[in-house]
Every structure is written in structure tokens, then in C-alpha cells.
Amino acid sequence: MFTKGKQILLAAVATAPLMAGGAWAEGLMTIIVNDPSNPYWFTEGEVAKATAEELGYEAKVSAHKGDTNTESTLIDTAITNKSAAIILDPANADGSIGAVKKAIDAGIPVFLVNAEINESGLAKAQLVSNNAQGAALGAMHWVESVGDAGKYVELFGAPSDNNAQTRSNGYETVLTQYPDLEKAAMEVADWDRTKGYNKMQSMLQANPDVNAVISGNDEMALGAIAALKEAGKLDGVIVGGFDGSPDAVEAVKSGEMAYTVLQPVAVFSAEAVRQADHFIKTGELAVDTEKQLFDCMIIDQSNVANYTAPFVLSN
């Protein structure tokens, strides 16, 4: 008969992560995202985790919520746990450099996803949406919806994230070509729905005649929609988002949001893990280019029915 201790040991062996063919797992893959309460970052973490497990790794997901001190602590934990690699969505373009250096000095390769840091040559790869392309695409679609004249406001993401400025610059490049489009206001809402709601309320009070909103992400856009609905002003106001989140897609379906720019987060999150796996096993980079851009797509009434899963648009 088995003793209780042996039964526990056998149970542990039975549930330990295995590679295909029954070999022991390759090690721990640490995945650090921003805030999984946002469906975009939740998807980022879950896709990376699932891919790592499919490749035979133990995978742990944690979140820094935009705080560089928390991020640094999570990196320390990853080092202590002897992670085989770290998949990191950096908290701050400048402030995360130290955390990445710390991991590299400990001999742990770091693969960045979604956001960049302002230093090359540290991370093995930086895999991000082509934010400039996505912003230009979104702005052109926004103009098609709004027309070449009107009064609009912009919701700007977190200033610590380079993506926020890149998207705003992309919007500006397109929209300034139309002199009869007047930007009445721009407010920072830090990628957050509640802040988007509050900032939209303030901008509406100062500019009750706005007829369009362009937003740096879906969460802020959804907050703006809530404020517009509450004020009885949503009808006739065009709102455009960026991310391709499930809630935004539902808003597109209902007609409350004109479009959202789909970021291929599921694609580059999985690809980052695959590239990390390749480096761990071979010591070589799967892709020679450190900064890798993944093009965005528009989701609107013409193709929203093809949206089959979070952040996936089928043909």
C-alpha cells in the first residue's frame, strides 16, 4: 500500500508540467503585464501563459499596474525563481530600463511586448503593435465617419507610455490636413475608462457642441461614450477607439462606437514566448531585428461580425 506521503508525491509528479513526449518542463517563464483588469492586458498575459505551457514551461503571470517599484520587485522575484526568460510589458519607457538591466545582469533574457523602452540592446526583442500605422489607419477612418469639418476632442493615454504619444502624433498628422476640423480640447486619461468618463464630462461642459471624439484606446473611448450617454449627447457624436477589446467590439456592433483599431496583441504575445523559447534552447535570436512591429486593422460595421475571439479578426 502507498503511504499518504507517497500519494502526495505521486500526485505532485502527475500534475507537474511536462513537455510533449513526457520530458520535464523547460523551466519557469515569468510574464509581467500592466493591469489584467483591462481585457487587453488580460489577453496579453493569458495568451503568453498558454503558449509557454504548450511549449513545456511553467508560466506565472503577474502585474505591475504601471508602477515601476512594483515592476522592479516582480523582476527580483523572477530572478530569485531562476526564470528561464521574462516576458515583460514595461511600466515606463524610461523607468523600466533599470528593471530590464537587472534581469539581463542576472543572465535572464527579457522579451518586451506591447510597449517599448527608450534603450536598445538590452531586451532580446521588443514586439509591439505598429502604433503609427494603426493611428493613421484609425484617423483616416475617423475622418470618413466624421467628415472634413467639425469640432472634436481627444483622449490621450498614459504619458509614461510611448504608445500614447505615437498614437496622438498619428492622429495629428492626418487630422491637421483638414483645416475645418477643430480640436476643442485634449485630456490625459491614462488608458482608464473611469478617467475617460470624467475627462469627457469636463470637456463636454466646456465644449457642449463637440460632435466627435478620438481616443488613444478603447477604455477611454468607452468612458467617453458613458459620459455622452449620460448627458444625452451620444446621438450624432462619432467616437473612435483603439485596441479591439471585446467591450469596444460590442459598442461597434450596437452603433455606439464608429470603429476600433485592432491591435494584434494575441499574435505578438504568443510570438514573444516562441522567440524566448528559441533563444533558451539555441542561444540564438529567432529574429535579428530587436524592434518588431505588427500591423493593426480596423473593426467597424463592415467586418465586426468576423470578430471571433478577444483581439482576433478572422478573414
Side-chain angles (χ1 to χ4, degrees):
M1 293 180 62
F2 291 115
T3 65
K4 184 176 180 181
K6 287 181 179 178
Q7 289 173 331
I8 292 172
L9 177 59
L10 287 173
V13 171
T15 57
L18 300 176
M19 289 184 64
W24 289 105
E26 294 291 338
L28 172 65
M29 189 86 72
T30 293
I31 300 155
I32 304 172
V33 302
N34 191 316
D35 184 354
S37 66
N38 181 313
Y40 178 86
W41 286 312
F42 176 81
T43 297
E44 176 182 79
E46 290 304 300
V47 168
K49 181 175 185 288
T51 306
E53 289 175 345
E54 288 171 6
L55 291 169
Y57 295 86
E58 179 187 0
K60 292 184 178 178
V61 180
S62 55
H64 53 63
K65 297 188 177 180
D67 181 74
T68 53
N69 291 326
T70 300
E71 179 183 55
S72 182
T73 300
L74 293 172
I75 293 291
D76 287 338
T77 301
I79 294 169
T80 300
N81 291 340
K82 302 186 187 317
S83 299
I86 296 171
I87 308 298
L88 172 66
D89 188 337
N92 187 293
D94 293 311
S96 296
I97 292 172
V100 174
K101 282 182 177 177
K102 185 162 48 173
I104 298 302
D105 289 344
I108 300 175
V110 178
F111 291 77
L112 303 183
V113 291
N114 182 59
E116 301 175 21
I117 57 172
N118 289 330
E119 187 165 335
S120 298
L122 293 176
K124 298 302 180 186
Q126 302 192 51
L127 297 88
V128 300
S129 296
N130 190 339
N131 282 278
Q133 173 263 347
L137 189 67
M140 288 186 289
H141 197 82
W142 187 90
V143 171
E144 290 176 9
S145 302
V146 174
D148 58 5
K151 189 174 183 180
Y152 72 96
V153 296
E154 179 182 347
L155 287 165
F156 188 96
S160 61
D161 185 341
N162 285 349
N163 291 340
Q165 191 62 61
T166 299
R167 292 175 197 173
S168 186
N169 289 346
Y171 296 158
E172 189 78 4
T173 298
V174 173
L175 301 185
T176 52
Q177 297 177 41
Y178 301 90
D180 292 328
L181 284 172
E182 175 191 352
K183 183 193 286 189
M186 181 175 74
E187 291 284 355
V188 173
D190 295 318
W191 309 128
D192 184 76
R193 190 180 303 201
T194 300
K195 290 182 180 180
Y197 168 83
N198 292 333
K199 297 292 188 178
M200 190 68 224
Q201 279 190 321
S202 299
M203 290 189 289
L204 267 179
Q205 290 172 3
N207 305 279
D209 56 341
V210 296
N211 66 346
V213 180
I214 193 163
S215 177
N217 83 336
D218 286 338
E219 287 296 292
M220 297 186 299
L222 290 163
I225 287 170
L228 288 162
K229 287 172 73 173
E230 186 177 271
K233 292 180 176 290
L234 183 58
D235 288 347
V237 176
I238 301 297
V239 180
F242 200 117
D243 275 346
S245 75
D247 286 352
V249 169
E250 289 304 312
V252 171
K253 286 180 180 177
S254 70
E256 292 182 345
M257 188 181 290
Y259 70 89
T260 177
V261 177
L262 175 67
Q263 293 197 79
V265 62
V267 175
F268 61 68
S269 297
E271 177 62 16
V273 173
R274 285 192 287 267
Q275 290 188 23
D277 173 63
H278 181 86
F279 183 81
I280 291 165
K281 291 175 177 174
T282 69
E284 298 178 353
L285 295 173
V287 177
D288 291 335
T289 304
E290 178 183 334
K291 293 188 178 180
Q292 302 166 36
L293 301 179
F294 293 74
D295 281 352
C296 303
M297 300 173 66
I298 287 286
I299 298 178
D300 62 8
Q301 288 291 335
S302 71
N303 63 357
V304 69
N306 298 331
Y307 184 95
T308 57
F311 305 97
V312 175
L313 187 63
S314 61
N315 294 326

